[in-house]
Amino acid sequence: MQPKTLALIDDDAEYSEFLTQFLQEQGIAVSRYDDSNALLAAPEAFAFDFYLVDLMLPGVSGVELIKILRRRTDAGVVVVSGRLGPEVFREVITAGADMYLVKPVQFEQVALAIAAVQRRVAKPAAADAAWKLDRASGELIVPDGTRIQLSEADRQLLECFAAAGGEPVTREALLNKLGRELPEGETDDGLSATIYRLRRRIERATPTLVPLQSKSRVGYVFRAPLQLI
């Protein structure tokens, strides 16, 4: 599944040109911006189905751009950047990005990442179909009937989302549920990685769209009915 429209925000002209050509061959209408401010000034800035964002940008930084996008749209956001390190991963995921790819990366891998995220963020046909958390067996039951064995951390997180009834859950509430405290002076609480592993566990088990999304400056939200049984 690919989006119909995509904004590519990257100041590497040669890379952007060739990536644009590749994605257009996949049937995606791509608009290029070499400056984050140029995107934000465009009338269609928040109307794209998908965004590919570099982190080192003229104008607003890539991380700040992601935060702005998340306040205005639920579209898919994938970061493709040469910046490395676990602190960078945490920063972009916390800001609201759905996935983080490190340059150099093959164009085919970018297309696969776009398709994977689009499956998750697109509006499913059965949006009201309930997911179920079986506390006795420690399994998540997908609307298509798939049963996914969960880790203890997965189960605790999903109990939080079930109690929230579709509303966002703060990072603090999720960490408290997991029994974690951020040591003084530390910045990486490990929550982003835990959420990422839960998403991947579900995605590997079922083609059903995963309604678990990040909310910039807040935490995370499970955008589908989730029942405890």
Side-chain angles (χ1 to χ4, degrees):
M1 177 183 291
Q2 296 288 9
K4 293 182 179 180
T5 61
L6 179 147
L8 171 58
I9 309 97
D10 196 304
D11 63 347
D12 185 331
E14 183 176 4
Y15 164 82
S16 295
E17 179 180 355
F18 287 115
L19 178 56
T20 295
Q21 292 176 3
F22 178 84
L23 294 177
Q24 287 175 337
E25 291 171 358
Q26 315 302 310
I28 304 173
V30 180
S31 298
R32 289 168 49 193
Y33 302 89
D34 59 7
D35 184 317
S36 55
N37 288 343
L39 168 70
L40 295 174
E44 68 278 10
F46 306 106
F48 291 98
D49 296 329
F50 210 97
Y51 296 83
L52 282 182
V53 181
D54 188 18
L55 295 182
M56 305 298 290
L57 290 169
V60 174
S61 72
V63 171
E64 289 304 313
L65 177 59
I66 294 167
K67 293 178 181 178
I68 294 170
L69 291 173
R70 271 293 162 258
R71 291 197 291 269
R72 298 290 298 274
T73 175
D74 288 327
V77 178
V78 167
V79 170
V80 185
S81 175
R83 287 181 60 190
L84 298 171
E87 72 286 352
V88 179
F89 173 83
R90 179 182 183 278
E91 189 176 21
V92 298
I93 296 299
T94 301
D98 296 289
M99 193 175 293
Y100 171 42
L101 301 177
V102 180
K103 293 179 180 177
V105 61
Q106 296 180 355
F107 291 165
E108 291 83 357
Q109 292 175 307
V110 176
L112 287 172
I114 292 171
V117 171
Q118 184 66 14
R119 283 196 300 271
R120 182 163 69 235
V121 301
K123 300 299 183 183
D128 294 331
W131 297 60
K132 298 178 182 179
L133 176 59
D134 187 334
R135 288 183 289 187
S137 66
E139 293 176 318
L140 177 66
I141 305 174
V142 184
D144 66 7
T146 302
R147 302 181 73 97
I148 303 169
Q149 189 65 47
L150 302 170
S151 69
E152 178 61 21
D154 293 338
R155 187 181 64 78
Q156 296 285 352
L157 289 175
L158 288 169
E159 285 190 1
C160 265
F161 293 125
E167 294 297 317
V169 183
T170 65
R171 297 181 65 88
E172 292 75 14
L174 293 170
L175 287 170
N176 183 64
K177 183 70 172 180
L178 293 171
R180 298 181 188 173
E181 292 184 3
L182 189 62
E184 186 176 354
E186 297 291 329
T187 59
D188 185 5
D189 54 29
L191 182 60
S192 299
T194 302
I195 292 284
Y196 180 78
R197 285 193 294 269
L198 173 57
R199 282 174 173 162
R200 294 295 296 145
R201 188 190 301 272
I202 299 170
E203 289 172 343
R204 286 193 296 265
T206 175
T208 301
L209 302 177
V210 182
L212 178 54
Q213 298 179 17
S214 61
K215 294 291 290 183
S216 179
R217 299 186 179 182
V218 180
Y220 296 88
V221 60
F222 199 89
R223 294 183 179 277
L226 178 58
Q227 302 173 357
L228 296 176
I229 61 173

